[in-house]
Amino acid sequence: VTVSGTVNIVRDLSGAIVGIQLITPDGEAYDVAMNGEGEMLKRERGRKVEARGTVSEKDGKKQLDIRSFKAEEAAPFALPEK
């Protein structure tokens, strides 16, 4: 399947990363499996991505095992006009 959404990093009280979620535009949350490609999503915190992989259910939540992903291009930076 292909899932598009914003990368959200989940931290515990000490600030350690305990999970990654992909939040779709309609608010649906997918817990990302913390494996190779899933781990790489840490770099994309707050960015919109399109991820391909397998969805399963774990503890009543949707889990996404990512095989590949593509981050949305960053908006070009423009200096304000004088």
Side-chain angles (χ1 to χ4, degrees):
V1 299
T2 301
V3 179
S4 296
T6 303
V7 177
N8 180 47
I9 304 296
V10 181
R11 298 178 183 271
D12 66 12
L13 294 176
S14 71
I17 295 173
V18 295
I20 300 173
Q21 292 180 319
L22 194 57
I23 310 295
T24 65
D26 63 358
E28 194 168 12
Y30 290 82
D31 291 338
V32 175
M34 300 293 279
N35 53 23
E37 290 294 314
E39 284 282 335
M40 292 179 68
L41 272 186
K42 289 179 190 176
R43 300 180 307 189
E44 309 299 336
R45 179 180 55 97
R47 291 185 70 192
K48 292 181 180 177
V49 300
E50 182 177 273
R52 295 181 187 271
T54 306
V55 175
S56 59
E57 195 165 308
K58 183 177 180 181
D59 300 327
K61 298 180 180 180
K62 291 184 179 180
Q63 182 164 351
L64 179 61
D65 187 359
I66 296 176
R67 297 289 178 234
S68 65
F69 72 89
K70 179 174 76 170
E72 183 179 84
E73 292 289 323
F77 177 76
L79 294 173
E81 293 182 29
K82 291 186 177 182

